[in-house]
Amino acid sequence: MKILALETSAKAVSAAVSENGRILASGYQDTGLTHSRTLMPIVEHILKNTDLKLSDMDAIAVAVGPGSFTGIRIGVSAAKGLAFSVDKPAVGVSTLAAMARNVAFFDGLIVCARRSQVYNANFSAENGILTRLTPDRAVSLDELAEEIRNNPRPITLVGDGAHLVYARFTEQGIPCRMAPPHLIMQNAMSVALEAEALAAQGKLVSAQELEAFYLRPPQADPLKKKPAPIQ
């Protein structure tokens, strides 16, 4: 199964093509340019250099959140357009689940955290197999610490909120480790591999059904009141 995956949920942008658990090509850019400017050239480049066409893909995958509202909108819109143009199904991938896949080879508990509000999900990893323990959610650092305080398994932290979690856990005497720097952030390669797992579970959707996943309303929506800050 060939999957084209897009990742636009944070500052960096990336795309990748996978086939049956193997990454065929990937492209990554973190230069401060807008995703609307950089994403499609990356996609075109990796397809051209692998002698593949969009129609060769079995599905189009994209990180649907949580993450940057603008970034997610760009990625989801691009994925919907690409999938629709070649009549292929789509796969919406949790940003947190993709992060966890970066370090699935570390047996133990994987704690994924994004931003200071701590958008979090926990996973168990054993022999490279991930098991989701919580839904994607917004929790406080104290709630997260209390939840896993007595968990005896090794704890690995990933995500742009990992440093914040590490500081709080260390302060409270909870042993944990940071993922290696090259694996701590989300990327399209992990989105592709997570998408393959979801596709195997029958979780493909149509381009029309693909939706972004926000844990709180977009602040840019002028018709909605600003959400209360998460304490």
Side-chain angles (χ1 to χ4, degrees), residues 132-167:
R132 180 181 278 274
L133 301 178
T134 72
D136 291 358
R137 58 192 180 163
V139 298
S140 72
L141 287 172
D142 288 337
E143 288 173 324
L144 184 58
E146 187 62 29
E147 181 178 275
I148 65 173
R149 184 179 305 280
N150 297 317
N151 194 304
R153 305 187 69 188
I155 298 171
T156 302
L157 308 177
V158 295
D160 57 9
H163 291 85
L164 191 66
V165 176
Y166 182 84

Side-chain angles (χ1 to χ4, degrees), residues 68-125:
S68 157
F69 294 125
T70 300
I72 291 169
R73 282 196 295 267
I74 290 171
V76 171
S77 295
K80 289 170 77 76
L82 292 170
F84 183 78
S85 71
V86 288
D87 193 25
K88 299 291 183 176
V91 190
V93 174
S94 160
T95 308
L96 299 171
M99 286 179 182
R101 196 158 289 279
N102 287 357
V103 291
F105 57 89
F106 283 135
D107 284 1
L109 180 67
I110 299 173
V111 176
C112 308
R114 290 213 69 237
R115 306 178 67 84
S116 59
Q117 293 92 349
V118 189
Y119 297 157
N120 156 265
N122 297 336
F123 298 80
S124 172

